[in-house]
Amino acid sequence: MSRKPIHLAAHFPGVNNTTVWADPTAGSQIEFDSFVHLARTAERGLFDFFFLAEGLRLREHRGRIHDLDVVGRPDTFTVLAALGGVTDRIGLTGTINTTFNEPFEVARQFATLDHLSGGRAGWNIVTSSDAFTGANFRRGGFLHHADRYRRAEEFVTVARKFWDSWAPDAVVADTSARVYVNPDGIRSVEHRGEQFDVCGFATLPAGPQGHPVLLQAGDSDEGRAFGARYADALFTLHGSLEDGRRYYADVKGRVRAAGRDPEQVKVFPAATFVLGDTDDEARDKARHIRYQQVSGATAITMLEQVWGRELTDFDPDGPLPDFDPVVDSDITQGRVRHGDPVAVARRFRERAAAAGLSIRELVIAITARQQFVGTATHIADEIDRYIQADACDGFILVPHLTPHGLDEFVDRVVPILQERGAYRTEYPGATLRENLAG
């Protein structure tokens, strides 16, 4: 059996609770130098792509801007286009919402990015039914939850029509190296559907990749089905080896059932890492980092999001509330309350009682994502083990420090993976699509 290649990507931590703001070495989340450093470090490590998440509205908690959450997100396309000028090979992937945008505009923006970067554009497709976020837009939160993926499918369909509307002979170069447009090679885009009514022309040909690489994050049944039909790569939060293998087998089966080659669709869980000279040192560092990420105030705030009421009188180092949550609460805006809050609170109390956890300790436990902790050799072993066990095809690494949090991994772990023949020593291609396939 041939050895599976390892794929890696880097997430710029700007819309999550991973970043440790209080660390004296932490830098800006919005200065261009921070984006440049992380992207260049990932490229030095031969990562497939650099990834930006999206924040379309600042979250609010108890009627005010949520000051314990990460805020501040420059425009995705502007940042990625600028990074295209200071990097050479790494993919440039951004999250763009299908609910609050239009297919023509997004198709043009990604085609532009693909041209400017020489074929390195990637689109992480997300949906939303959040009326709070929608209030920032003309249409508001008009979309019902059940309609999210219906709109997304039609959105991608229309965007593809724009990318495909210029024939190969639409752009002509003569012997004098002049370039001109042959209008006979440009087809109009016409679409009549439930979500979109479009009739027009793409303003430029598709980029070097034809279509940008399509990525998708969504673990619902609808999300998995959508990703199996359209995505080139899937993001997942499944962290354990067994959970990862179940997810991997499920989505690869869905891809095959959709008539596509499962080998061409990559699965990327998100993961953090903590390196140490010894395993004990790494574990101590990891514990310190988690307590920086989840302060007492943060723990109480996160619990309030489940209980739907103010809990500032509770000690974060004490026990959980013994009363049930408020079911219909808008205490937090911009963050989804997953599932029945009463059932969630019951599970929290059971877990806390079984392990003797305080509020803060419980929040630390339940908000942990896949984390590799240990020496460089141990982390290299674990990453390779997941890939070879078909739990994933690679990892999106989320450093806890901006912008230098990835440096140590590239300097210490990547060379070990390369020495073992488990990781590339050069980029196999010039485009993101070629590198994902390599």
Side-chain angles (χ1 to χ4, degrees):
M1 182 177 178
S2 62
R3 186 185 188 87
K4 286 176 58 181
I6 293 171
H7 291 269
L8 296 173
H11 175 248
F12 187 90
V15 188
N16 59 49
N17 59 356
T18 302
T19 303
V20 176
W21 292 90
D23 193 290
T25 63
S28 171
Q29 298 282 327
I30 60 175
E31 290 179 3
F32 186 52
D33 285 349
S34 291
F35 293 98
V36 171
H37 183 90
L38 189 64
R40 283 178 167 171
T41 301
E43 185 169 66
R44 180 164 58 85
L46 304 175
F47 283 32
D48 284 2
F49 58 88
F50 171 92
F51 172 58
L52 284 179
E54 181 181 58
L56 294 179
R57 182 163 179 177
L58 301 183
R59 294 177 178 130
E60 295 179 14
H61 184 70
R62 286 198 270 130
R64 62 189 296 271
I65 296 297
H66 185 12
D67 61 344
L68 296 177
D69 204 354
V70 178
V71 298
R73 164 64 68 212
D75 176 71
T76 296
F77 282 111
T78 305
V79 173
L80 294 180
L83 289 176
V86 296
T87 58
D88 296 313
R89 291 294 188 87
I90 192 164
L92 303 169
T93 299
T95 301
I96 298 296
N97 198 298
T98 59
T99 305
F100 303 117
N101 290 290
E102 295 295 325
F104 164 74
E105 182 179 31
V106 170
R108 180 177 61 166
Q109 288 170 316
F110 273 112
T112 301
L113 178 61
D114 210 43
H115 279 292
L116 293 177
S117 65
R120 296 187 282 141
W123 174 17
N124 180 40
I125 303 166
V126 296
T127 66
S128 176
S129 61
D130 180 12
F132 173 76
T133 301
N136 264 353
F137 297 85
R138 175 177 57 84
R139 295 184 307 277
F142 73 101
L143 197 63
H144 292 295
H145 187 273
D147 294 332
R148 293 178 307 150
Y149 283 108
R150 294 221 306 269
R151 179 180 172 91
E153 292 207 29
E154 194 172 334
F155 194 112
V156 173
T157 297
V158 178
R160 284 177 164 178
K161 289 182 178 181
F162 280 110
W163 291 324
D164 293 339
S165 64
W166 283 50
D169 61 355
V171 178
V172 181
D174 64 20
T175 56
S176 302
R178 293 175 299 186
V179 176
Y180 65 93
V181 173
N182 172 16
D184 293 334
I186 304 174
R187 302 188 306 275
S188 67
V189 173
E190 298 185 9
H191 178 89
R192 302 288 184 268
E194 179 183 354
Q195 296 289 334
F196 303 104
D197 188 346
V198 175
C199 180
F201 292 89
T203 58
L204 77 168
Q209 298 183 108
H211 298 174
V213 167
L214 301 184
L215 306 100
Q216 190 263 343
D219 192 40
S220 67
D221 188 68
E222 290 175 311
R224 294 187 189 200
F226 177 85
R229 286 193 293 271
Y230 297 102
D232 300 299
L234 299 165
F235 298 163
T236 172
L237 294 176
H238 290 84
S240 73
L241 185 69
E242 288 309 312
D243 284 347
R245 293 185 71 177
R246 282 191 290 269
Y247 175 85
Y248 191 90
D250 178 66
V251 296
K252 294 281 187 170
R254 290 171 186 254
V255 170
R256 186 180 295 106
R260 304 174 63 205
D261 181 0
E263 296 298 319
Q264 299 302 312
V265 179
K266 306 301 183 187
V267 173
F268 285 88
T272 61
F273 62 91
V274 180
L275 277 159
D277 291 331
T278 66
D279 287 338
D280 286 342
E281 178 190 338
R283 283 191 287 268
D284 288 343
K285 287 172 63 176
R287 185 176 186 277
H288 175 67
I289 289 167
R290 288 298 287 141
Y291 271 82
Q292 286 182 298
Q293 290 168 330
V294 184
S295 67
T298 298
I300 293 297
T301 298
M302 296 191 75
L303 207 68
E304 289 175 336
Q305 294 172 6
V306 175
W307 258 258
R309 58 182 292 176
E310 184 176 343
L311 299 173
T312 52
D313 290 339
F314 280 76
D315 180 0
D317 296 316
L320 274 69
D322 58 3
F323 49 82
D324 285 339
V326 177
V327 175
D328 296 317
S329 171
D330 60 357
I331 190 171
T332 299
Q333 298 283 352
R335 183 185 292 275
V336 177
R337 295 177 83 191
H338 293 286
D340 174 12
V342 174
V344 172
R346 185 181 306 116
R347 291 196 299 270
F348 283 4
R349 284 195 291 261
E350 290 171 355
R351 183 167 179 177
L357 302 178
S358 67
I359 291 174
R360 188 178 184 188
E361 290 168 336
L362 176 73
V363 171
I364 287 173
I366 62 176
T367 59
R369 64 175 75 206
Q370 170 61 52
Q371 188 174 40
F372 296 111
V373 178
T375 64
T377 299
H378 174 76
I379 291 177
D381 288 341
E382 285 296 286
I383 289 176
D384 194 36
R385 184 167 72 95
Y386 273 68
I387 274 70
Q388 305 312 322
D390 286 341
C392 58
D393 296 298
F395 288 96
I396 297 178
L397 297 180
V398 189
H400 70 277
L401 289 178
T402 303
H404 299 282
L406 195 62
D407 297 25
E408 195 175 21
F409 183 95
V410 170
D411 291 336
R412 298 179 61 184
V413 179
V414 166
I416 295 173
L417 293 172
Q418 290 171 326
E419 289 169 4
R420 298 177 178 181
Y423 190 63
R424 61 175 61 132
T425 56
E426 61 182 12
Y427 280 111
T431 69
L432 173 53
R433 190 176 303 281
E434 290 170 340
N435 292 327
L436 269 177

